Amino acid sequence: MELKRVVVTGLGALTPLGNDVATTWENAVKGVSGAGPITHFDSSKFKTQFACEVKGFDPAQHFDRKKARQLDLYAMYALVAAGEAIADAGLESEGVDKNRVGVVFAAGIGGLHTFEEEAGYYATHGEEQGPKYNPFFIPKMIADIAAGHISIEYGFRGPNFATVSACASSNNALIDAFNYVRLGMADAIVTGGAEAAVFPAGVGGFNSMKALSTRNDDPQGASRPFSGSRDGFVIGEGAAALVLEELEHAKARGAHIYCEIVGGGMSADAYHITATHPEGLGAKLVMENALRDAGMKPEEIDYINLHGTSTPVGDIGEVKAIKEVFGDHAYKVNLSSTKSMTGHLLGAAGALEAIMGVKAITDGIIPPTINHEEGDNDPEIDYNLNFTFNEAQKRDVKTVLSNTFGFGGHNAAVILKKYEG
């Protein structure tokens, strides 16, 4: 069976750097940090009191009151980002067979805030009042519901489901969408991820694991991947969406083509429930698998958007893996972690970083890894590699590899390529 070619025809984003793709990308290129004091709740008693939140988001601008009551914040974010991508791709235009358009949308956690509110109410009032749960509790909370809402909103009746693999979730969504389209099971799929976990359970839970930075006196400088003084990731929130479409279908309707998606790889660390393998064995395998799927050699990659969360152990393992996979070419590739600016969007991270890769290809610019200070080095990291520290770099980018690694040892990587007909 001949596999079909798959292209990206739509982009959408709602992020700590901006409430659309254009603003997000502009601020990423400028090296703007999206971090600041937490506003979603009183974090004064928490070890970490800052996050990368979405700013200026008003649900009333997007949803009527009845609809808003049915949606957790993560699903709101998903619908807004997906709406931008769908409009960008023109997927609602006449002639698109909605039976052949699917939605594969990820969340690492899903409706955490809804669960927190409902469980908290029962813990406080349950003994005297008995169980009084909101009838929307379950459908607001579950991790697949964003995919369902997008399908319902636009009448897309193709494959419809969610992927959940912690911080690899939306890269897994992209890979599944890619496979369904190239196998001919759909003409187009709206894919991506959303997360809204900047609430007490999310911040407190990650704090208890010592996973988050506690640099409360310098939130904007806290996410510092590959620097010696890094002390954990900065939790972020938001959503990112891409429309993946079969090439001939896109051409037939005159869709704008951003780039091509040519490969996806998956692997498992099989090591620890939260820590990545210290030697980067799973990371090495997932990049090799992605390259093999794309039919590419390591020296064909121009830019790697790193998982690079700013954790002490994880950053080291990824660097080791890159050096093993790419050999001498590792020193010719641009590397960067855009999480230094966006924070870690958990289940939405892969989709957002794929958009960064798409824009790097179309604009010929590598977004930076910010917050690295001269001399702030880790002896286990090779600084002869080009981490694109602090300033964006112009480069003719033809190919991008984007890595994501999740709790449980889940690894997923995608490869994007400039579309050349």
Side-chain angles (χ1 to χ4, degrees), residues 131-189:
K132 277 192 164 184
Y133 286 97
N134 187 319
F136 294 116
F137 171 32
I138 299 300
K140 283 176 71 174
M141 176 198 71
I142 51 181
D144 70 300
I145 204 65
H149 277 296
I150 295 165
S151 170
I152 292 165
E153 180 72 19
Y154 296 97
F156 297 148
R157 292 178 289 272
N160 184 269
F161 60 94
T163 55
V164 180
S165 50
C167 304
S169 295
S170 52
N171 255 7
N172 277 122
L174 286 169
I175 293 168
D176 279 3
F178 170 53
N179 284 331
Y180 274 89
V181 174
R182 69 172 168 173
L183 288 169
M185 299 175 72
D187 294 330
I189 292 186

Side-chain angles (χ1 to χ4, degrees), residues 169-248:
S169 295
S170 52
N171 255 7
N172 277 122
L174 286 169
I175 293 168
D176 279 3
F178 170 53
N179 284 331
Y180 274 89
V181 174
R182 69 172 168 173
L183 288 169
M185 299 175 72
D187 294 330
I189 292 186
V190 182
T191 187
E195 209 77 88
V198 185
F199 290 102
V203 175
F206 283 119
N207 266 158
S208 70
M209 298 166 55
K210 300 181 179 179
L212 296 182
S213 171
T214 56
R215 195 181 285 259
N216 293 313
D217 58 343
D218 181 24
Q220 294 192 339
S223 184
R224 45 183 55 222
F226 309 103
S227 290
S229 61
R230 66 192 186 281
D231 69 330
F233 73 84
V234 176
I235 191 170
E237 63 171 3
L242 301 90
V243 174
L244 304 190
E245 189 167 353
E246 193 270 321
L247 173 60
E248 296 305 321

